[in-house]
Amino acid sequence: MDSRNNNNRYYNDYPCSGDGRQTNPYYNNGGPAGYNGGPVPQPPDPGNGKGGGSFLLGLLFGISLSVLLGGFAFVGMKVYEAVDSKNVAKKGTASSVVSEETEKKLEAIEEVIDEYYYQDGDIDVDAMTEGMYAGMVSALGDPYSVYYTEEEWSSLMQDTAGIYYGIGAYLMIDPNTGLGKISGVIENTPAEEAGLRADDLIYLVDGESTMGLELSEIVSRVKGEEGTKVHLTIYREGESDYLEIDVERRKIESPTVKYEILENNIGYIQITEFDDVTTDQFTEALAVIKGSGAKGLILDLRGNPGGSLNVVVDIARQILPKGLIVYTEDKYGERDEYTCDGKHELDMPMAVLVNGNSASASEILAGAIKDYDKGTLVGTTTFGKGIVQRVLPLTDGTALKLTISAYYTPKGNNIHGVGIEPDVVCEFDSDAYYDEDVDNQLDKAVEILGE
């Protein structure tokens, strides 16, 4: 979890300015910056569901009620007026979902519920309405597009200036299981003290499964009041059973850049996320590395889930030659380019560490470095998120996060669903790291720069 309490996979990979195409009065044309959503892949059995409600899915089916008695005889059938479901499906485009036919069917569904649902005292109309909105966005079939209720949006927008009460771990969604996964652990935090590791899968949070939840939902369950504890049920590869771990919530100050001078006079800079403060922190770190007379630089992007497009572009401008850094292209074919003037091109050998948890903005930087042959990528294939989300706030306090474009590396590669292959493949040796304090991937990078 990062400085905004929600993990950086939600941050913007695209600057948000009004596009002038909105006509709905609920749309707020002057919304804040866009955000980059975390992946919510399809898990194996017992299945996956988006965090929002799925009430609108009922629109796909006709309505009939029956009372089943012995011998499979149907009695007491009452048919409510509703449109042909096939007709609705044909008209179910972005411009015609809200129509006279769908309104009529919603009224029919509501009438059926009102007459037959036996726990009518538990009906929450507001929740059903929000579920309908969430279901509409969920029906897009895009795991990165989400509807946020007013409460969810307000929670996500809380600005805590890099300080929050949590456990000190970066979270993402595991692409293979749909569970929450720890992509990195901040030093000297409760997460590290409790023995949590990168790649640990969070099966349960206080006894509740994380499968199919939005990343923001998982994070909200993990964080909490200072001094309280959260109980995590962890799956760790190589362990014969789940690990039951209690972690105390404390105030977490999360630096985004760490640097040092390694042996053989090689500089090392780790970027854990691309947040608003990252540019200044990286600039300072790079100045120290250059001032020390380092003969090479290792840039560590492992476990970095992404972040602000503007920030990663600013950092790339301190490394790359003159030319294109990245460009985006939307559904209308409109292209936005982000370029570098080359005045601050880095003049020293560089190795870049990446892994399967390096995503989005991390891949923008790694992809540009690879395309310009400015450094050697070491590690394993990156996550593969080459699409851009934008958050569109609505005037009633809710918001939509929608995929609006794809991004491309300088050579025109879109790595979505594919990732970036490292130049030197080096699998991480977790046993050596946790038992012997040996980082074999880092050692490989040092070896390459030594050559």
Side-chain angles (χ1 to χ4, degrees), residues 164-167 220-230 247-251:
Y164 68 95
Y165 299 115
I167 65 173
S220 68
R221 296 183 183 190
V222 172
K223 70 179 184 180
E225 295 183 8
E226 184 177 19
T228 61
K229 290 185 177 181
V230 59
V247 191
E248 183 182 6
R249 300 177 175 104
R250 295 207 299 261
K251 179 186 289 187

Side-chain angles (χ1 to χ4, degrees), residues 170-182:
Y170 298 101
L171 303 183
M172 64 183 296
I173 300 295
D174 179 63
N176 298 315
T177 64
L179 296 171
K181 182 172 77 169
I182 295 176

Side-chain angles (χ1 to χ4, degrees), residues 30 119 202 288 290 392 405 435:
Q119 290 183 318
I202 304 177
V288 173
K290 289 180 176 179
L392 306 170
S405 61
D435 297 340

